Amino acid sequence: MEKSRRNFIKNSAIASALVATAPAKSFAILHKDMKSDDQTIGQGGFTYKADKNWAKISVNSNPLANCHEMVQDSKGRLIMLGDHTNNNILIFDKSGKLLDYWGTSLPGGHGLSISKEGGEDFLLLTDCGWALDRTGANYGQSGQVLKTTLDGKLIFAIGHPRTIGIYKDDEPFKPTETAVAPNGDIYVADGYGSDYIIQYNSKGQYIRHFGGHHNANKDHNLVNAHGVSVDTRDKNNPTLICTSREENCFKIFTLDGKFIKKIDMPGMYVCRAVINDSNIYAGVCWSKNAEGKRFDYSGFVTVLDADNKVVSNPGGAAPVYKNGVLQQTLQASNPIFQHGHDVCVDEDKNVYVCQWNAYHTAPVKLTRV
């Protein structure tokens, strides 16, 4: 996974130079492999029309590298985190109008979560540590997690766990995601580092960590712990949904780190689980071909129901179950997406899709039909 990311970062330096010299235009025009907007994608009760021109921004005024994640705040605004340090954060209304932007210090901007405390929204921003320097060369460094206000004022930072004695010197910290529990506890997924889920309290003080690579029961391990989400669909029994992306599955843990079960997603390199009402939505960064090999530009979106059964794959083939077992899911023959990295679902059940390695394009809106 890290090799794929490093190769992309290196190659994107050339693409970035081309984008920087391009005239102002819609990002969608650069997305050369996307098909027309008039097709309906998805299956069952989760079908959509894709709007590639949703974001009203230009490549000159608001350059993008990767659109990693998006959340919606209490005012209905859509907040996106990317890794271009001209504007790490872009804030849109639901029509795609750009309302604000800020952030110049997160070259590895990757994970974005939102929490509410005392009637106020706060952001948790994750820098995964992978970035480009000023010459276009890729480099890796330790990552970090920042808690900020909605306008970017820093409240506190969570740095390398080695500083408090819970990581060994040879264990890297390259976090990819956070989630916030109902009591305010913060869970950090070290998805590009050592694959632990690290639990802190609301003040950023360490509680425990779990996952990693060295459990006696391999089901308790995580391999590319790319995402973590708090699942409150059962209000009396909240759980954690952790992504084990290289294993093509989600793994379910208690809030104190006890393994419960896994949800197999054959052929799908899923990102974080996004809970909306009784459903789980997720970006699929890559998928496999019919021969079972992963390949680039093979992403889509997947939707699961209350029983954690896949019911729709917008941009992918329809889900197929045999004897209750989900079969490998391929990208649709007329692909819409490159690498689905995250989704945000609004109150009308429209879905906004952020992509990694997708020709520097802005988020795509999927309007529910």
Side-chain angles (χ1 to χ4, degrees), residues 12-24 30 59-61 63-64 84 360:
S12 69
I14 298 173
S16 295
L18 293 174
V19 170
T21 59
L30 298 174
V59 295
N60 290 338
S61 59
L64 296 175
H84 199 297
H360 305 261

Side-chain angles (χ1 to χ4, degrees), residues 10-88:
K10 181 178 179 180
N11 293 336
S12 69
I14 298 173
S16 295
L18 293 174
V19 170
T21 59
K25 60 178 71 175
S26 164
F27 277 96
I29 294 174
L30 298 174
H31 207 322
K32 62 183 182 182
D33 290 337
M34 278 186 158
K35 304 303 181 182
S36 62
D37 290 344
D38 57 0
Q39 63 177 306
T40 299
I41 61 173
Q43 300 86 27
F46 296 85
T47 56
Y48 306 87
K49 295 286 188 181
D51 182 359
K52 302 181 290 289
N53 293 295
W54 170 76
K56 309 304 189 291
I57 55 177
S58 80
V59 295
N60 290 338
S61 59
N62 294 102
L64 296 175
N66 300 284
C67 299
H68 275 131
E69 295 201 333
M70 179 179 281
V71 296
Q72 189 173 30
D73 70 9
S74 298
K75 297 179 180 178
R77 304 182 306 168
L78 298 161
I79 304 173
M80 191 212 85
L81 174 69
D83 51 8
H84 199 297
T85 53
N86 277 38
N87 37 220
N88 283 133

Side-chain angles (χ1 to χ4, degrees), residues 220-290:
H220 298 193
N221 293 342
L222 295 168
V223 186
N224 187 197
H226 192 269
V228 59
S229 303
V230 176
D231 184 357
T232 57
R233 290 177 294 176
D234 181 349
K235 301 297 183 183
N236 297 318
N237 186 34
T239 58
L240 293 174
I241 304 179
C242 302
T243 304
S244 192
R245 194 163 71 176
E246 287 298 313
E247 295 184 286
N248 295 171
C249 70
F250 295 116
K251 293 188 176 182
I252 312 302
F253 292 81
T254 64
L255 294 187
D256 58 356
K258 303 296 190 301
F259 176 78
I260 300 173
K261 64 180 180 180
K262 67 177 179 176
I263 305 170
D264 287 315
M265 305 290 287
M268 290 188 262
Y269 292 78
V270 285
C271 297
R272 73 164 163 185
V274 175
I275 311 296
N276 183 271
D277 290 341
S278 61
N279 297 105
I280 296 174
Y281 298 72
V284 176
C285 204
W286 299 275
S287 56
K288 293 180 179 178
N289 60 20

Side-chain angles (χ1 to χ4, degrees), residues 98-110:
L98 185 65
L99 302 175
D100 196 6
Y101 60 93
W102 53 266
T104 60
S105 61
L106 297 175
H110 187 280

